[in-house]
Amino acid sequence: MTPKDWLHTLVAFDTTSRNSNLALIETVRDALARQGVASSLHYSKERNKANLFATLPAANGNTQGGIVLSGHTDVVPVDGQDWHTDPFTVTEKDGAWYGRGTADMKGFIATALALVPDFLALPRQQPLHLALSYDEEVGCIGAPVMLQELLARGQQADGCVVGEPTGMQVVVAHKGVNLFHCHVHGKAAHSSLTPQGCNAIEYAAMLICRIREIAEHFKQHGPYDQAFDVPFTTMTTNMIGGGIALNTIPERCEFSYEFRNLPGLQPKALAAQVEQYVQDVLLPRMRQEYDSARIDITTGASAPALEASEQEAITALSRALTQDHAVRKVAYGTEAGLFQQAGIPSIVCGPGHIQVAHKANEYVEIAQIETCERFLRKLAQSQCA
């Protein structure tokens, strides 16, 4: 199968994160098995989703070391978007392939899968690995399950290429992503009897304003890294809900917030600033009005930042193969930070552009897939030296 054939196959599976990805994973598993390549699947707790890890051994049968080609199989929803074509059918137009996930990031996966027969035919002295994950789009949930399994069985790798859409340019750093959910519990009362209640929305608003103040401090005072498109740590509140009626003091308010930290900035320190404000300022005031008031903050999904070393072999190899020596750092997160945290040096490089990801009429240029194909061929050939 060609990259185009594989892309048609992969996009046809509606692997929106709310859905199962098992049909896609099992299709890939079976295709690899027909070529003599065994895969291990690592399931979610509900067993409705799975990661896939497959090793193409070196010519001498060695399965340790080598390079991982990593991609996530889930995609974001198409709900409410103005698609001009069927998002789950690849449509070719104006030198590009349109469809959900073509750029983010089934184009990379399709290219890697199409090249498996060629990879197997090469006299490689090192193995190549394929790592496909679930639920990256909702907080990099699947990859840690896979990495824990690989660690438990002693699987080693020398480097990883995460094929997120970068225009086939090498990205050496990205921010960490940390999600939080806050539940403010006050006391309901009729709005004409305000002093008898404890207004959860108002106290939530105070905390949201404090989060904004912390964000402004980072914007004004840093630390900065000008290689990033957004060169400072950011904090934003992105969802909120509360109240039951116009004439009722709200008993509860819930909101979700995130911060995206520069590499080197510890997420725990940021979380502690929010918690300190809750404990020192908000709760004492709330409990003057209602002694059982509380604020619960739970940690959601998170993914660590990436900061690749220029001295690592995978960085040097990727730069040599692409002839790209610019330093690029991005604000969005990927699974590369997780691989690095697991001791596998990683970079990000894949076909397509992040600017069209998650949008209606997502596409990948055919020329980008062709560039990716050349890159992966050279990467595999470099293992033959």
Side-chain angles (χ1 to χ4, degrees), residues 147 151 155-160 312 336-346:
L147 289 168
L151 181 64
Q155 178 66 56
Q156 300 173 356
D158 300 320
C160 176
E312 292 290 355
L338 290 164
F339 279 92
Q340 184 183 64
Q341 190 177 68
I344 303 173
S346 302

Side-chain angles (χ1 to χ4, degrees), residues 165-232:
T166 68
M168 286 308 299
Q169 297 175 322
V170 178
V171 167
V172 295
H174 64 65
K175 292 183 178 180
V177 181
N178 307 270
L179 307 178
F180 297 87
H181 307 289
C182 181
H183 298 251
V184 181
H185 301 266
K187 182 182 180 182
H190 194 283
S191 59
S192 65
L193 302 172
T194 297
Q196 297 182 14
C198 180
N199 194 314
I201 288 179
E202 292 179 355
Y203 282 104
M206 293 173 66
L207 182 52
I208 290 168
C209 289
R210 176 57 184 156
I211 292 169
R212 176 61 183 258
E213 289 174 358
I214 298 171
E216 282 294 318
H217 179 84
F218 282 111
K219 182 178 180 180
Q220 297 298 327
H221 303 286
Y224 302 107
D225 185 336
Q226 297 299 337
F228 280 89
D229 41 5
V230 179
F232 48 86

Side-chain angles (χ1 to χ4, degrees), residues 349-371:
C349 184
H353 302 283
I354 198 67
Q355 291 84 356
V356 302
H358 298 194
K359 295 182 179 179
N361 307 307
E362 178 183 351
Y363 65 88
V364 64
E365 295 152 328
I366 297 173
Q368 283 280 302
I369 296 294
E370 292 171 346
T371 301

